[in-house]
Structures are given as structure tokens and as C-alpha cells.
């Protein structure tokens, strides 16, 4: 085992031990935090993402597709769809660009979940446009690389449902663990740092925490936009499981997330300013 792998395992063990100690020290409070995360997942995430995931798999199955089409599928499918599709397609440079472009979240999270939480379809649309723009611009910042066309596997409706259900279990589990980590690490922090930390650890619960701060609309949307583009540690580690085989570490994925976050927040701000200048109702 090399040093980096050993260090990774030691850090993982230390983190797990710290979370376990915190959970045992105050089980009711920590269980309440996990329940809040799962409630947000079942009420605001699962109803939108699950059917979208099923239909997206059926749409793309059994086709020979160029790299740009697979990247577009990954962008629209959200994490970890892109990583699962593209981790072994193309050379290292192509893989890095794919990782940058497909490390975001599903459009249904914006059109459904965030539009519901913000009580504004217009704000959800702005966030979605900014997110997709950041994914595309981030990809353009990296070398193109080379890749072959790939035949996507055949998927039946029962298989799509089963695979989507497993993916939703993974998402729900990550949200629960992210909520637990945020509750433990942010227990002694003021509201604003706690919300930012939550967003960095687990994106969906973090977005809800940011909304609960009741900030003015523009900084709230820009911060949510950045959180979604970064995607949070929980999603980064999901994607890293696929990209590690082609030499893309979770640290590199986090760096890509920071770039996407900056681009997405800037695009959100610009779009809001344009809409206000043109007196478009938003």
C-alpha cells in the first residue's frame, strides 16, 4: 500500500471514529439531524429525481453515442450518472474534462426541489441555467483529449427502476451522513458558518440551510448556485469511486468543484442583473 492510500484510509478511519463518538455522546440530537436530512430527501428530492433517473436511463440505452452526447447525458443525469458512463471513455485528458462537466446535480433538483423550496419557478430556472453554463464553461477550460464512440448498454424498464432505486438509496444515505457530519462539526458554530459547512459537506441539506438563513434574494441564489456546482463532499466521494480508476482523485474533483462553483455563482449574478435590467419578472 502506498503512502497516499494509507493516509486516505487513516483519515477515513479517524473521521468515522469521530462521527461515531459524537453519535454515541448525543444519540437523540444526532438522530434528529439525520431524520431532518432524510425528511428533506423524501419530500423534496426523491419525488423529482427518481422518475427523472428512470426515464433518462431508458432514453440513452442501447445507442452508440459520441463523447459529447455522453457528456450531455451526464450533465442532465446528475451525479454519479456521468461518472458511471464516462469513467473509462477516452484518454486521461478526456476523462478530466468529463469529470469537470458531469460533476453537478440533476436538472430536476433545480426545476423541482429548489423551485419548491424557494417558492419560485423563475429562481429555479435561473439556477438551472447557471449550473449548466458552469458545467459547460468549466469543461472548456480543460484540454479536449481523445475518445472513441461507445455503445451504451441495453436497459429494460425494470432494470432502470432497480438501478434508479439503488442510486436513490445511495443519495439518501449520503444526505443522512452529511446531515450527521454537519450537525456534529457545526454544533458550536453560528448559523451562517454552520449553513456554509453543511453545504460543503452535503449539498441538498446545505441548500435548505442556506434558504433558512432568510438572506436577501441575490446572495441566497448565488450561494445556492455555488453549493450545487461544488456538489458537496458526499457527492464528490460518490464520483471519486468511479474516477479513481483513471487516476482522478477526490482532491482534483474538489478543485473542479471550486471552479464550477465560482463560475455558477458569477453566472447567477449576471443573469439576475440582466433580468432586472430588462425588467423581466423574476
Amino acid at each position: 500500500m502506498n503512502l497516499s492510500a494509507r493516509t486516505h484510509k487513516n483519515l477515513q478511519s479517524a473521521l468515522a471514529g469521530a462521527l461515531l463518538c459524537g453519535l454515541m455522546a448525543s444519540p437523540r440530537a444526532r438522530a434528529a439531524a439525520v431524520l431532518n436530512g432524510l425528511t428533506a430527501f423524501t419530500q423534496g428530492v426523491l419525488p423529482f429525481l427518481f422518475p427523472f433517473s428512470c426515464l433518462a436511463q431508458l432514453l440513452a440505452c442501447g445507442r452508440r453515442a459520441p463523447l459529447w452526447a455522453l457528456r450531455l447525458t451526464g450533465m442532465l443525469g446528475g451525479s454519479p450518472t456521468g461518472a458511471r458512463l464516462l469513467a473509462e471513455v477516452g484518454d486521461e485528458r478526456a476523462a478530466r474534462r468529463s469529470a469537470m462537466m458531469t460533476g453537478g446535480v440533476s436538472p430536476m433538483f433545480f426545476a423541482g426541489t429548489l423551485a419548491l423550496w424557494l417558492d419560485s419557478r423563475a429562481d429555479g430556472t435561473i439556477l438551472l441555467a447557471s449550473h449548466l453554463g458552469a458545467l459547460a464553461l468549466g469543461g472548456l477550460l480543460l484540454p479536449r483529449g481523445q475518445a472513441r464512440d461507445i455503445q451504451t448498454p441495453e436497459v429494460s424498464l425494470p432494470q432502470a427502476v432497480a438501478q434508479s432505486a439503488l442510486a436513490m438509496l445511495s443519495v439518501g444515505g449520503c444526505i443522512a451522513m452529511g446531515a450527521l457530519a454537519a450537525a456534529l462539526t457545526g454544533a458550536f458554530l453560528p448559523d451562517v458558518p454552520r449553513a456554509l459547512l453543511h453545504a460543503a459537506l452535503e449539498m441538498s441539506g446545505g441548500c435548505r440551510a442556506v434558504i433558512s438563513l432568510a438572506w436577501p434574494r441575490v446572495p441566497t441564489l448565488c450561494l445556492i448556485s455555488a453549493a450545487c456546482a461544488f456538489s458537496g463532499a458526499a457527492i464528490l466521494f460518490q464520483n471519486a469511486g468511479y474516477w479513481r480508476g483513471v487516476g482522478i482523485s477526490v482532491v482534483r474533483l474538489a478543485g473542479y468543484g471550486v471552479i464550477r462553483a465560482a463560475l455558477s455563482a458569477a453566472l447567477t449574478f449576471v443573469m439576475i442583473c440582466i433580468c432586472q435590467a430588462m425588467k423581466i419578472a423574476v
Side-chain angles (χ1 to χ4, degrees):
M1 184 186 299
N2 58 43
L3 180 61
S4 61
R6 184 181 295 111
T7 301
H8 178 268
K9 286 187 175 294
N10 289 338
L11 290 173
Q12 178 177 284
S13 297
L15 177 60
L19 292 177
L20 183 59
C21 289
L23 179 61
M24 295 177 66
S26 183
R28 287 190 178 182
R30 307 316 172 204
V34 172
L35 179 60
N36 288 336
L38 290 176
T39 299
F41 168 69
T42 55
Q43 294 182 355
V45 178
L46 182 63
F48 299 104
L49 294 190
F50 178 70
F52 182 87
S53 176
C54 293
L55 296 175
Q57 288 190 65
L58 292 173
L59 183 64
C61 74
R63 301 179 184 276
R64 188 167 185 83
L67 180 58
W68 68 264
L70 293 178
R71 284 175 172 160
L72 180 60
T73 301
M75 291 169 63
L76 297 178
S79 298
T81 300
R84 187 174 67 246
L85 283 175
L86 293 158
E88 298 182 0
V89 179
D91 59 15
E92 184 176 354
R93 291 188 299 175
R96 289 180 177 179
R97 177 180 273 197
S98 296
M100 170 70 88
M101 297 179 67
T102 62
V105 298
S106 168
M108 283 306 298
F109 183 72
F110 299 94
T113 305
L114 286 178
L116 175 66
W117 289 349
L118 292 166
D119 193 25
S120 172
R121 293 180 61 184
D123 287 348
T125 301
I126 289 174
L127 290 170
L128 172 58
S130 301
H131 188 74
L132 294 177
L135 297 180
L137 290 175
L140 294 176
L141 296 177
L142 298 178
R144 181 176 181 178
Q146 297 181 346
R148 65 189 187 282
D149 291 356
I150 186 172
Q151 181 75 28
T152 58
E154 294 285 348
V155 179
S156 65
L157 177 59
Q159 289 174 323
V161 170
Q163 292 174 11
S164 297
L166 288 174
M168 292 302 100
L169 282 175
S170 177
V171 172
C174 287
I175 288 175
M177 293 305 296
L180 174 62
L184 291 172
T185 55
F188 305 103
L189 294 175
D191 289 345
V192 173
R194 183 165 61 246
L196 297 179
L197 177 62
H198 197 159
L201 291 172
E202 191 282 302
M203 178 272 304
S204 61
C207 287
R208 189 154 189 168
V210 169
I211 293 172
S212 70
L213 294 175
W215 280 2
R217 174 173 174 264
V218 174
T220 295
L221 293 185
C222 289
L223 189 52
I224 291 174
S225 182
C228 292
F230 179 71
S231 74
I235 290 178
L236 289 175
F237 278 104
Q238 282 188 68
N239 288 335
Y242 294 95
W243 292 115
R244 193 177 294 119
V246 291
I248 301 178
S249 67
V250 69
V251 175
R252 182 179 291 274
L253 291 178
Y256 292 164
V258 171
I259 294 172
R260 291 194 304 266
L263 290 171
S264 188
L267 287 172
T268 297
F269 181 77
V270 169
M271 290 186 66
I272 293 173
C273 291
I274 291 175
C275 290
Q276 292 176 341
M278 297 179 64
K279 297 183 179 180
I280 299 175
V282 293

